[in-house]
């Protein structure tokens, strides 16, 4: 098992040190280890969680749902169905957002083509 200093965990995860501390404080990261001097040490398992949290955060999952998901995982295998349902609901919201963004992107591209045609020298 590898150990990572907070700065390395932040670099690898893309989260700030403040975010890592916050995630630990609210219980998203469970029981981060400490050195004898009290410095936090992140494991490969912690980094795995951070990769998942990055995905969930980047796709717009609220912190409360992220906390619920982490809670369910820690409760054990009997929560797998509930975890799957939570992720499926989130994926549905992500898909709706992607559809909206695609429509808005297409609209922007049409507007750019309009200007391109009208600004092109005769």
């Amino acid at each position: 098992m590898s150990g990572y200093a907070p700065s390395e965990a932040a670099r690898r995860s893309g989260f700030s040190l403040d975010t890592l501390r916050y995630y630990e404080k609210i219980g998203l990261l469970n029981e981060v280890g400490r050195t004898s001097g009290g410095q936090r040490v992140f494991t490969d398992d912690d980094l795995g969680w951070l990769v998942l949290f990055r995905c969930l955060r980047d796709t717009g999952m609220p912190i409360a749902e992220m906390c619920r998901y982490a809670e369910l995982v820690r409760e054990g295998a009997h929560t797998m169905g509930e975890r799957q349902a939570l992720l499926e609901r989130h994926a549905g919201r992500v898909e709706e957002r992607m559809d909206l963004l695609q429509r808005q992107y297409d609209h922007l591209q049409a507007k750019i083509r309009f200007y391109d045609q009208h600004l092109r020298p005769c």
Side-chain angles (χ1 to χ4, degrees):
M1 173 170 24
S2 299
Y4 305 95
S7 59
E8 181 64 11
R11 186 189 70 75
R12 287 175 179 249
S13 68
F15 289 119
S16 69
L17 289 170
D18 287 339
T19 299
L20 295 181
R21 280 190 289 275
Y22 176 68
Y23 283 1
E24 183 180 6
K25 179 181 175 181
I26 65 171
L28 272 177
L29 287 173
N30 196 27
E31 300 177 14
V32 173
R34 304 258 177 191
T35 66
S36 59
Q39 183 182 30
R40 289 173 297 145
V41 177
F42 293 85
T43 64
D44 288 328
D45 189 51
D46 295 327
L47 290 179
W49 276 101
L50 290 171
V51 168
L52 174 62
F53 297 151
R54 168 59 64 196
C55 171
L56 297 176
R57 187 174 110 170
D58 287 352
T59 56
M61 181 179 276
I63 291 282
E65 284 186 29
M66 291 169 61
C67 286
R68 180 64 183 144
Y69 179 82
E71 213 175 84
L72 290 169
V73 170
R74 291 181 186 115
E75 286 178 17
H78 69 279
T79 66
M80 289 180 79
E82 194 174 345
R83 285 184 257 163
Q84 180 181 5
L86 188 150
L87 293 176
E88 286 174 347
R89 284 190 304 274
H90 179 63
R93 291 189 305 265
V94 170
E95 188 172 8
E96 288 172 7
R97 180 77 176 143
M98 288 171 39
D99 290 345
L100 172 64
L101 288 172
Q102 184 62 57
R103 289 191 308 273
Q104 300 297 34
Y105 178 78
D106 293 344
H107 184 105
L108 285 171
Q109 290 300 314
K111 192 55 90 174
I112 290 167
R113 283 190 302 276
F114 169 83
Y115 286 114
D116 187 44
Q117 290 169 358
H118 287 82
L119 293 173
R120 191 177 305 143
C122 297

